[in-house]
Amino acid sequence: MRKLTCALLCLLMILSTVFCLEGCKSREQRLSEETAYEDAQMNAMNKKVVKYINEKDKEGLKKLFSKSAQKDIEDLDGKIDEMLEAFKGESIVSVKSEPVDSSRTNDYGKESISIYGEQAFKLKDGKSYAVWIDFCDKDDNNKDNVGLYMIEVCTCSREELPEEFTWEGVNSGNPGIFIHYID
């Protein structure tokens, strides 16, 4: 009887260890899938932003912004004009994304996903602009939040930013278009 009890306990310990290890693997796989999803969403948003900037499509850019951001941004049309002017008519030829960050919240089965990260927009003339993009991909609680929230553009590369530089829009948490002219 004693041997049988020990054998059952050993078997239970082995099975519980296997299930625990399998649970960790599943979590890693899920995180990997979420990261791949967020990267794909950021790449899709980058393509839309670049397309509309290259085409100087003000309405297209405006429609990318969420309905709530459109209401909260003072003079959105003027800000879009300023952003297009910052590119000085140069086409964006490539985008390099830095690792994407995201914020994901769950509220009893309802989900909200905000994705944000720094991009490097390389222009046709060889110059590179550091760009921060922040958007809401999904919000089950408020559909008006879905869309672009903020774009911040620096007219230089990340490496050329002054040491004391701070991202105005990122740090304020306010929606909008923020342009930094840095020579």
Side-chain angles (χ1 to χ4, degrees), residues 11 47 109 146 154 157 172:
L11 181 62
K47 285 180 182 179
V146 175
C154 298
S157 68
S172 74

Side-chain angles (χ1 to χ4, degrees), residues 32-42 104 113 115 137:
S32 176
E33 289 170 1
E34 288 175 2
T35 300
Y37 171 81
E38 291 157 3
D39 287 344
Q41 296 308 308
M42 180 58 85
R104 185 181 292 264
I113 304 171
I115 301 172
D137 182 58

Side-chain angles (χ1 to χ4, degrees), residues 116-158:
Y116 45 89
E118 190 176 335
Q119 321 303 310
F121 285 11
K122 187 168 183 175
L123 307 181
K124 189 175 183 180
D125 68 359
K127 196 165 182 180
S128 184
Y129 284 5
V131 178
W132 186 271
I133 294 180
D134 184 347
F135 66 98
C136 178
D137 182 58
K138 179 179 180 181
D139 190 338
D140 291 339
N141 293 324
N142 187 352
K143 302 286 186 208
D144 286 350
N145 288 336
V146 175
L148 199 55
Y149 181 76
M150 192 246 324
I151 297 179
E152 192 157 359
V153 177
C154 298
T155 60
C156 67
S157 68
R158 177 73 164 141

Side-chain angles (χ1 to χ4, degrees), residues 17 34 36 39 45-46 48 69 81 89 91 99 107 117 139-140 161:
T17 302
E34 288 175 2
D39 287 344
M45 181 59 75
N46 284 339
K48 291 175 190 174
D81 287 337
S91 294
D107 180 23
D139 190 338
D140 291 339
L161 286 173

Side-chain angles (χ1 to χ4, degrees), residues 11-177:
L11 181 62
L12 285 173
M13 286 176 45
I14 290 170
L15 287 174
S16 61
T17 302
V18 168
F19 284 122
C20 286
L21 291 175
E22 185 62 32
C24 291
K25 183 179 176 186
S26 296
R27 182 175 186 274
E28 288 175 12
Q29 286 175 337
R30 191 174 62 250
L31 288 174
S32 176
E33 289 170 1
E34 288 175 2
T35 300
Y37 171 81
E38 291 157 3
D39 287 344
Q41 296 308 308
M42 180 58 85
N43 289 335
M45 181 59 75
N46 284 339
K47 285 180 182 179
K48 291 175 190 174
V49 169
V50 166
K51 175 184 183 237
Y52 294 138
I53 289 173
N54 283 344
E55 294 174 356
K56 297 170 188 49
D57 183 349
K58 297 174 192 179
E59 282 305 309
L61 282 166
K62 188 173 184 176
K63 287 179 183 176
L64 288 179
F65 281 89
S66 69
K67 290 179 183 175
S68 61
Q70 287 180 31
K71 291 176 195 169
D72 293 341
I73 300 171
E74 188 175 316
D75 189 24
L76 180 57
D77 292 322
K79 299 277 187 186
I80 290 172
D81 287 337
E82 183 183 352
M83 182 174 66
L84 292 175
E85 182 63 32
F87 285 92
K88 300 174 186 154
E90 286 293 327
S91 294
I92 301 166
V93 293
S94 68
V95 176
K96 179 183 175 207
S97 292
E98 297 301 318
V100 174
D101 292 324
S102 70
S103 172
R104 185 181 292 264
T105 58
N106 285 300
D107 180 23
Y108 301 107
K110 293 185 176 182
E111 188 172 35
S112 175
I113 304 171
S114 292
I115 301 172
Y116 45 89
E118 190 176 335
Q119 321 303 310
F121 285 11
K122 187 168 183 175
L123 307 181
K124 189 175 183 180
D125 68 359
K127 196 165 182 180
S128 184
Y129 284 5
V131 178
W132 186 271
I133 294 180
D134 184 347
F135 66 98
C136 178
D137 182 58
K138 179 179 180 181
D139 190 338
D140 291 339
N141 293 324
N142 187 352
K143 302 286 186 208
D144 286 350
N145 288 336
V146 175
L148 199 55
Y149 181 76
M150 192 246 324
I151 297 179
E152 192 157 359
V153 177
C154 298
T155 60
C156 67
S157 68
R158 177 73 164 141
E159 295 74 32
E160 296 169 319
L161 286 173
E163 192 173 305
E164 69 280 356
F165 177 80
T166 57
W167 294 95
E168 177 186 349
V170 172
N171 292 327
S172 74
N174 294 326
I177 297 175

Side-chain angles (χ1 to χ4, degrees), residues 1-13:
M1 180 75 170
R2 191 170 186 203
K3 287 183 182 181
L4 181 62
T5 304
C6 284
L8 284 174
L9 284 175
C10 286
L11 181 62
L12 285 173
M13 286 176 45

